Amino acid sequence: MTDLLTLGETMAAFRTTGPLRLGGTAGISVAGSESNVAIGLARLGHRAAWVGVTGADEPGELVRRTLRAEGVDLTWSRVDATAPTGLILFENRVADINRVTYHRAGSAGSRLGPADVTPAFDTPGPAPRLLHVTGITCALGVEPYQAVVEAVRRARTAGTTVCLDVNHRNRLWSVAQAAAALRPLLPSIDLVVASDDELAVLTDAADPASALLSAGVTEVVVKHGAGGATSHSATGTTHRPARTVSVVDTVGAGDAFVAGLLSGWLDGLDAPTRLDRAVTTGAFAVATRGDWEGLPDRAELALLDHGPGG
Ligand code: CKP
Ligand code: MG
């Protein structure tokens, strides 16, 4: 049985230690918000499946090999030989500040469509327990957006709990475009995750969390970066401070946070304990280089409870 089903685009990622124009060496890995979450859950022992499309090329092989090695189920992903795998460049500029550039227009990943998600729900046996979708997939084009719409619709029918991370990307679309696409999904979303500045994508209300709960969302989790995170639900509001770590690379921190949160949900933890796990996995991502490489396994979750040498 699948614990978490997610869908999106995963790209080959090139990380430089300075401006790319100067040449030199780059670290090569993979990046994609939804697969970051899948890896985070797999590391914690959950069964995570990623639906996506890669090209029949070396970057695509890197994506598939990496996800397989991390224990992510690729049963419902596919290769499209007519389009290239997308690329993402992270050029390290100062301290933990990266310049991020996408080369993903027309990519295989953006060929994801509604037909790609139906097999995951049509497979005999129990439906996935969780579906995780993000605004990034919705921003990739009409077909990827329809894939999200279809996945959410099928999840509703199957009794699968649905999580939406707004994950707003200015380089992919405007706030107005994101609002027009994501707001209609809200009646079918159980759990919303957003950073405080992303809430305006979902509602114009002065009290966004209350408005989203009134719209039918069960839990609204708001990330405040170094200020921690807050969970809002009908039973009340809980806040957890961020864990104090040295900041190395903040990219992927949001996805790591979601992985901890959803892991807590799958384990049946209460809201405060789920948030604890979320700020912990988020801290692992912040304190290590790469989107997902530093994410913890079960035993490592406790490392940050004791501090260095503790
Ligand atoms: O919100 P996060 O920093 O956790 O997301 C990072 C990911 O998918 C990164 O892996 C990148 O590839 C992306 O978001 C993206 O498409 O921007
Ligand atoms: Mg994010």
Side-chain angles (χ1 to χ4, degrees):
M1 181 208 203
T2 300
D3 291 323
L4 172 104
L5 178 72
T6 190
L7 60 148
E9 178 173 28
T10 300
M11 299 162 281
F14 294 79
R15 277 194 159 71
T16 68
T17 52
L20 181 77
R21 67 184 66 173
L22 297 185
T25 53
I28 305 177
S29 184
V30 309
S33 174
E34 303 78 16
S35 59
N36 292 344
V37 172
I39 290 171
L41 282 161
R43 288 228 176 150
L44 292 172
H46 304 285
R47 287 155 301 205
W50 173 81
V51 180
V53 187
T54 49
D57 46 23
E58 284 296 301
E61 284 306 316
L62 173 70
V63 167
R64 298 178 68 80
R65 188 174 193 266
T66 304
L67 295 183
R68 269 199 303 267
E70 288 294 328
V72 174
D73 182 359
L74 300 185
T75 302
W76 300 298
S77 68
R78 68 180 166 91
V79 174
D80 182 335
T82 65
T85 304
L87 308 177
I88 183 168
L89 305 178
F90 298 95
E91 295 169 273
N92 193 246
R93 298 302 289 118
V94 283
D96 66 318
I97 310 290
N98 291 301
R99 176 166 53 214
V100 180
T101 316
Y102 298 128
H103 293 262
R104 68 196 301 179
S107 66
S110 59
R111 302 267 176 101
L112 183 71
D116 288 308
V117 300
T118 49
F121 290 98
D122 288 339
T123 300
R129 294 177 65 197
L130 280 172
L131 170 72
H132 175 63
V133 297
T134 86
I136 298 173
T137 314
C138 300
L140 297 179
V142 174
E143 287 289 298
Y145 175 59
Q146 288 306 328
V148 170
V149 169
E150 179 65 6
V152 168
R153 190 185 72 78
R154 294 296 301 261
R156 268 279 145 286
T157 314
T160 299
T161 294
V162 183
C163 173
L164 167 71
D165 181 350
V166 174
N167 251 343
H168 187 64
R169 296 290 183 269
N170 282 319
R171 261 165 290 180
L172 295 179
W173 58 355
S174 66
V175 169
Q177 287 173 308
L182 298 184
R183 290 184 186 194
L185 299 179
L186 286 173
S188 303
I189 305 295
D190 301 290
L191 169 61
V192 162
V193 181
S195 51
D196 27 26
D197 59 343
E198 288 175 333
L199 287 167
V201 171
L202 298 181
T203 172
D204 299 319
D207 182 349
S210 301
L212 293 172
L213 294 177
S214 304
V217 173
T218 308
E219 185 180 5
V220 179
V221 176
V222 185
K223 298 172 292 175
H224 313 289
T230 310
S231 160
H232 305 265
S233 71
T235 55
T237 295
T238 312
H239 178 79
R240 281 291 178 273
R243 286 180 177 270
T244 310
V245 288
S246 301
V247 178
V248 173
D249 178 2
T250 55
V251 182
D255 304 325
F257 178 94
V258 169
L261 191 73
L262 297 184
S263 166
W265 187 92
L266 288 164
D267 285 353
L269 305 180
D270 61 14
T273 323
R274 288 199 295 268
L275 267 192
D276 271 336
R277 188 172 292 178
V279 295
T280 301
T281 47
F284 271 93
V286 165
T288 52
R289 195 161 143 84
D291 285 27
W292 52 267
E293 285 85 339
L295 296 184
D297 61 23
R298 281 276 161 168
E300 290 172 332
L301 273 180
L303 279 176
L304 293 183
D305 287 339
H306 305 294

